[in-house]
Amino acid sequence: MNLGKHVIVLDTGLRGLVVGMMQILGEATRLLVRLVAGGEVWISALDLEFL
């Protein structure tokens, strides 16, 4: 996966930029998203739509 990909967080409609990635054993990959609205949040890859 290329970091720096633009995403929409599906459950909130917020836009952001993927700036980090973490794999949790036995769980979905989580991506650190820098939100356009401000702040950063770890979100499951399944909750994102890549642009």
Side-chain angles (χ1 to χ4, degrees), residues 7 15-20 31-41:
V7 296
R15 293 174 183 270
L17 182 71
V18 175
V19 295
L31 302 174
L32 181 62
V33 177
R34 183 170 293 148
L35 298 172
V36 170
E40 292 180 345
V41 63

Side-chain angles (χ1 to χ4, degrees), residues 2-50:
N2 294 328
L3 296 179
K5 215 78 161 126
H6 290 276
V7 296
I8 295 175
V9 182
L10 298 180
D11 60 348
T12 62
L14 292 172
R15 293 174 183 270
L17 182 71
V18 175
V19 295
M21 179 174 161
M22 173 176 60
Q23 288 189 311
I24 302 172
L25 190 62
E27 293 186 26
T29 299
R30 296 199 179 269
L31 302 174
L32 181 62
V33 177
R34 183 170 293 148
L35 298 172
V36 170
E40 292 180 345
V41 63
W42 286 99
I43 301 176
S44 168
L46 301 176
D47 294 328
L48 302 176
E49 176 182 328
F50 292 88

